[in-house]
Amino acid sequence: MSSYFKKQFFIAFIYLIIFSAIGGGIFFGFVYSPASCQDGKLNQGEEEIDCGGPCVVCQEELLNPKIVWAKIFPVEGDLYDLAAQIENKNINHGTDNLPFVFKVYDSNNNLILEKIGRSYIMPREKKYVMEAVSLDSIPAKIALEFGEIKWQKFKLVEDLNLSIFDQSIDLNGKNNYAAFAKGTVYNKTRFDLATVDIYIVIYDLRGNAIVANKTQKDMMKSGEGKSFEVAWPKSFASDSSRIKTDMKAHTNAFSDANFITTFLEK
């Protein structure tokens, strides 16, 4: 090859390198965007867009518990039970300090009572809250509101298996009470529990709650079962086949006194 052609080949090669560099710069600078934690895309093993995996931990949008229903039940004389069913839809967060207030109104929409209470709720848990009150006026409706909730992330390493067996309803009445609900709660966790709360709600066949009650059992050892009984002074049904009973057992897994703080994520 003559020196002329060698020179022309060398010049063409230099131009090729220059144009390749310019084209690559345009592609990588304006067209190609490498995966990152700020690219607005779900990639590189992220759990959600730009979080999880190699990026920062995803922050759960924390929601107040959903109020499924709230009702007031006459007990006897000026005594009433305030009850509500609530549901925590947060996947990883619960709280051992759930402040709430029942607001009771008369038929003219006048506020006649505010009953403040506190409870706890686990992630993805549906439960009841209840308060007993005495009223000077006839109530017409109630509302449930929550205070400021300090959510805690909860690492559940196993199910909190609290089961209720031998459930029964006695509508015949005795000892000045019109009806009874009975059962046996079993602690099937591997922990000794300081307190187990038990809630009982009776529904009609259309799914409307008609009465509510609660009790608790203390110092339940792992594997232990304890019987319980609650009573109502006034009759609410004459035929047990026309009602449905919902009995739930819960425990506060956030409480140090309940001996299961290993579930808390440090």
Side-chain angles (χ1 to χ4, degrees):
M1 182 183 293
S2 67
S3 60
Y4 173 79
F5 286 109
K6 287 182 179 180
K7 183 177 180 180
Q8 293 298 315
F9 178 79
F10 178 75
I11 293 173
F13 180 72
I14 295 298
Y15 275 110
L16 178 63
I17 293 176
I18 293 173
F19 283 117
S20 296
I22 294 174
I26 293 174
F27 176 76
F28 284 100
F30 298 96
V31 179
Y32 173 74
S33 179
S36 73
C37 295
Q38 292 85 34
D39 59 9
K41 299 178 181 178
L42 182 64
N43 49 28
Q44 59 176 351
E46 298 167 352
E47 296 175 11
E48 297 178 18
I49 294 176
D50 293 341
C51 71
C55 304
V56 297
V57 176
C58 296
Q59 296 297 316
E60 183 179 349
E61 182 183 358
L62 301 178
L63 306 172
N64 273 3
K66 175 186 176 182
I67 301 171
V68 181
W69 56 258
K71 290 189 174 183
I72 183 166
F73 304 109
V75 178
E76 187 177 38
D78 61 354
L79 301 179
Y80 295 84
D81 286 329
L82 312 180
Q85 187 179 48
I86 61 176
E87 182 178 6
N88 178 15
K89 290 184 173 292
N90 296 313
I91 297 174
N92 299 308
H93 288 76
T95 181
D96 66 342
N97 184 12
L98 179 64
F100 62 86
V101 56
F102 281 110
K103 294 186 176 182
V104 184
Y105 299 86
D106 64 16
S107 58
N108 294 319
N109 209 34
N110 296 314
L111 180 65
I112 58 177
L113 178 75
E114 288 187 335
K115 180 62 177 179
I116 297 174
R118 290 186 182 274
S119 188
Y120 56 87
I121 196 165
M122 301 297 109
R124 295 165 290 176
E125 184 176 53
K126 181 184 284 188
K127 64 175 297 187
Y128 298 106
V129 290
M130 300 179 186
E131 294 290 335
V133 297
S134 174
L135 297 174
D136 296 329
S137 303
I138 298 176
K141 66 176 183 178
I142 68 168
L144 177 66
E145 297 179 3
F146 297 105
E148 182 179 356
I149 302 173
K150 295 182 179 179
W151 294 106
Q152 296 170 265
K153 194 164 187 180
F154 189 78
K155 186 177 181 181
L156 190 64
V157 297
E158 64 181 68
D159 289 336
L160 294 178
N161 192 346
L162 299 171
S163 303
I164 298 178
F165 294 94
D166 305 321
Q167 300 182 25
S168 66
I169 293 290
D170 182 356
L171 301 177
N172 294 323
K174 62 180 179 180
N175 300 330
N176 297 322
Y177 287 97
F180 297 84
K182 303 177 183 179
T184 302
V185 58
Y186 285 91
N187 175 12
K188 293 189 174 183
T189 75
R190 60 187 178 91
F191 301 95
D192 297 336
L193 301 176
T195 302
V196 173
D197 297 307
I198 302 164
Y199 299 88
I200 302 96
V201 177
I202 309 296
Y203 293 86
D204 63 22
L205 296 184
R206 292 177 295 179
N208 299 311
I210 53 178
V211 289
N213 216 321
K214 67 178 180 179
T215 185
Q216 70 177 37
K217 291 296 176 180
D218 297 326
M219 297 308 300
M220 290 199 65
K221 294 182 179 180
S222 176
E224 184 180 19
K226 288 187 176 183
S227 60
F228 64 87
E229 180 180 271
V230 298
W232 291 271
K234 285 190 174 183
S235 176
F236 53 82
S238 58
D239 185 355
S240 60
S241 67
R242 306 296 299 172
I243 58 176
K244 294 182 179 180
T245 306
D246 187 27
M247 299 187 185
K248 301 292 186 186
H250 303 272
T251 194
N252 186 356
F254 289 101
S255 171
D256 290 344
N258 263 355
F259 313 115
I260 49 177
T261 54
T262 52
F263 285 155
L264 289 178
E265 186 174 88
K266 303 299 184 182

